[in-house]
Amino acid sequence: MICRKCDEESVLIAADYIRRGKVVVLPTDTVYGFSGIVDGRHYSYHTYEKICTIKKRDEGKHFIQLIAKPEDIKKYTRDVIPDSLLEKWPGPLSIIVHTFAEDGNFETTAFRCPGDEWLRKVISLCGAPIYSTSVNRSGSPVLDNIQQIKAEFGKEVELIVDDGDKKGGIPSTIVAIEENGEVKVVREGSIKISN
């Protein structure tokens, strides 16, 4: 299915598909992204595996998780995140923090509270974070042309939300909270962070 972001019902449509465990293509504040719900209560959804299959990417590399509000990150980590970082949310900044793994150990997860209000409304209606990863096959350039996205992936995802082309979209800046609490810049994007 294709809907336009400007359509009155687009937020409700996108959230409905995601809540039902479907993989969708959404416009973000950076580039288009494959998205699916992150929710341990619905193991049958396996949206992570579905996205890996579509991208033809080996499993094991985590996707960024998008959250609706900056303070939501505190639900998933005990790391202390400097106010100087949280003040840049909502926006194109991804923060890698330590989270609890299913085996009781720690793992690292990247979170972003996107600058796009439409997208935050979708996430809020989903009631859980959603995965986001660039729309492309693994090892291929990121697609920023909506017609190319429809042609390449229209039969592999359940929904594409059309917001026109995203030419020149700059990926998010990525920082990591180290075990000692220091902030490390992993990838510099549209937001500048001082080490």
Side-chain angles (χ1 to χ4, degrees), residues 18-193:
I18 294 169
R19 279 197 309 264
R20 292 188 288 121
K22 308 298 183 184
V23 173
V24 304
V25 171
L26 299 180
T28 75
D29 48 347
T30 54
V31 294
Y32 277 96
F34 290 117
S35 289
I37 198 160
V38 181
D39 191 344
R41 292 171 297 175
H42 300 288
Y43 293 109
S44 62
Y45 287 172
H46 300 295
T47 54
Y48 170 82
E49 291 85 351
K50 290 176 185 176
I51 296 171
C52 285
T53 298
I54 294 169
K55 285 180 70 78
K56 297 183 177 176
R57 185 167 98 170
D58 292 336
E59 295 180 21
K61 186 177 178 183
H62 296 295
F63 298 134
I64 290 172
Q65 297 184 22
L66 302 182
I67 54 178
K69 297 178 290 188
E71 58 268 28
D72 287 349
I73 195 170
K74 295 175 182 177
K75 300 176 186 177
Y76 308 106
T77 183
R78 292 184 180 173
D79 288 352
V80 177
I81 302 166
D83 289 340
S84 60
L85 291 182
L86 290 177
E87 287 169 359
K88 299 186 184 303
W89 275 356
L93 172 68
S94 299
I95 304 174
I96 300 172
V97 295
H98 296 87
T99 54
F100 288 110
E102 290 180 9
D103 61 7
N105 293 314
F106 285 103
E107 61 184 10
T108 55
T109 305
F111 291 92
R112 185 166 90 241
C113 181
D116 186 278
E117 183 180 3
W118 177 91
L119 184 53
R120 293 198 306 275
K121 288 179 181 177
V122 171
I123 301 163
S124 181
L125 286 174
C126 288
I130 64 173
Y131 292 119
S132 184
T133 181
S134 59
V135 175
N136 62 312
R137 306 288 183 191
S138 185
S140 298
V142 175
L143 295 182
D144 56 12
N145 179 285
I146 190 61
Q147 297 306 325
Q148 288 181 330
I149 290 171
K150 291 175 183 177
E152 179 82 13
F153 296 108
K155 294 181 179 178
E156 296 183 66
V157 298
E158 301 286 341
L159 172 70
I160 295 174
V161 178
D162 183 344
D163 189 32
D165 295 343
K166 291 277 187 181
K167 296 291 184 185
I170 301 173
S172 65
T173 296
I174 301 176
V175 300
I177 306 297
E178 306 275 72
E179 289 188 11
N180 62 6
E182 292 185 5
V183 176
K184 177 184 176 183
V185 177
V186 177
R187 179 182 76 192
E188 193 170 280
S190 56
I191 288 183
K192 305 302 180 190
I193 302 291

